[in-house]
C-alpha cells in the first residue's frame, strides 16, 4: 500500500491550463515574431524543463527573459486558476487514511503560494516545494531529504516529465490525464498507474 503521495500542482490539483497556456502563448508571440501558438500545438510540444520547450522552437532567449514575459502576461491576462474538482476531497481523504501528502512542482513559487492560499490548501500538505527546474534530478533528492520509503511512495503528475522523475527516483509513477498533454503521449512514457479521476487514488 502506498503510504505517501507526492503531487504535481499544475493540471494535477490545480486547473491552471488557461492561465499557463495564455501566458506561454504571449511569450511565444513576442519572442517568435508574432507566432500564434494554438492549444493543440502547445499540448503536442510542451515539456519540462520549460526552457527546452522554447529552445525547441529555435528561440535564443534566457530564462530571465522568458520568466519576465511570462509573469507580466499572467498579471495582464487576469486569468486565475481554480482547484480541480475532487482535489480537496482527495487530499482530505488521504489524510484521514493516515497517509502523507506532499507537493512538488515546477510551477513558480509565488504562484503556488498564492494559489494554495486562495484554495485554502495550506494545511493539506506535509511539505511543499515549488519552482523546481528539473524534477528528474530533484525528486530523488526530495524523497531522500524527507526520509520517505521509495517502495511506499508515489508521485502523481500529468506530464511525461513527471513519469520520468518518478522512475528516476525509484518510486511509483501515477499519471493523471489533464489538458496539458495528449493522453497517448503520456501513456507512451509507461507510468505504473494511469487514472482518469483523482478519487481513484483513495483505493491504491
Amino acid at each position: 500500500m502506498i503510504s505517501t503521495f507526492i503531487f504535481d500542482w499544475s493540471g494535477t490539483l490545480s486547473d491552471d491550463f488557461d492561465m499557463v497556456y495564455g501566458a506561454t502563448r504571449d511569450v511565444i508571440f513576442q519572442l517568435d515574431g508574432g507566432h500564434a501558438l494554438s492549444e493543440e500545438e502547445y499540448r503536442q510540444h510542451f515539456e519540462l524543463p520549460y526552457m527546452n520547450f522554447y529552445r525547441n522552437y529555435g528561440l535564443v532567449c534566457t530564462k530571465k527573459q522568458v520568466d519576465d514575459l511570462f509573469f507580466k502576461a499572467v498579471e495582464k491576462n487576469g486569468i486565475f486558476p481554480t482547484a480541480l474538482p475532487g482535489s480537496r476531497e482527495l487530499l482530505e481523504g488521504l489524510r484521514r487514511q493516515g497517509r502523507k501528502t506532499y507537493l512538488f512542482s515546477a510551477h513558480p513559487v509565488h504562484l503556488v503560494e498564492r494559489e494554495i492560499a486562495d484554495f485554502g490548501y495550506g494545511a493539506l500538505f506535509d511539505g511543499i516545494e515549488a519552482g523546481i527546474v528539473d524534477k528528474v534530478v530533484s525528486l530523488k533528492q526530495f524523497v531522500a531529504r524527507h526520509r520517505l520509503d521509495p517502495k511506499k511512495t508515489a508521485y502523481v503528475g500529468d506530464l511525461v516529465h513527471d513519469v520520468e522523475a518518478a522512475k528516476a527516483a525509484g518510486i511509483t509513477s501515477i499519471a493523471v490525464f489533464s489538458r496539458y498533454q495528449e493522453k497517448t503521449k503520456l501513456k507512451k512514457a509507461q507510468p505504473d498507474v494511469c487514472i482518469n479521476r483523482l478519487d481513484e487514488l483513495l483505493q491504491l
Side-chain angles (χ1 to χ4, degrees), residues 103-169:
L103 182 65
F104 185 81
S105 172
H107 204 49
V109 174
H110 75 281
L111 293 182
V112 168
E113 290 176 344
R114 180 169 74 185
E115 292 159 25
I116 286 177
D118 288 346
F119 300 172
Y121 279 16
L124 298 177
F125 296 106
D126 292 284
I128 296 171
E129 285 194 29
I132 307 301
V133 174
D134 190 337
K135 295 181 185 179
V136 171
V137 173
S138 301
L139 184 56
K140 186 174 184 178
Q141 298 169 353
F142 180 89
V143 170
R145 187 161 55 250
H146 290 277
R147 298 181 180 180
L148 305 178
D149 182 351
K151 294 180 181 179
K152 297 181 179 180
T153 301
Y155 186 55
V156 186
D158 64 324
L159 297 178
V160 168
H161 186 71
D162 296 324
V163 176
E164 293 172 342
K167 290 179 181 293

Side-chain angles (χ1 to χ4, degrees), residues 10 15-31 35-43 46 53-54 66-81 107 111 179-180:
S10 297
D15 184 7
D16 61 1
F17 178 85
D18 290 332
M19 180 188 78
V20 175
Y21 160 66
T24 303
R25 180 187 59 205
D26 286 1
V27 175
I28 290 289
F29 185 85
Q30 295 189 57
L31 294 179
H35 173 68
L37 182 73
S38 69
E39 284 192 26
E40 181 181 2
E41 186 180 5
Y42 178 86
R43 277 191 289 270
F46 183 73
F53 170 72
Y54 292 100
V66 168
D67 288 350
D68 286 348
L69 291 171
F70 181 88
F71 296 139
K72 286 179 183 177
V74 164
E75 300 306 325
K76 180 190 72 175
N77 294 342
I79 303 170
F80 298 104
H107 204 49
L111 293 182
R179 296 171 66 193
Y180 272 97

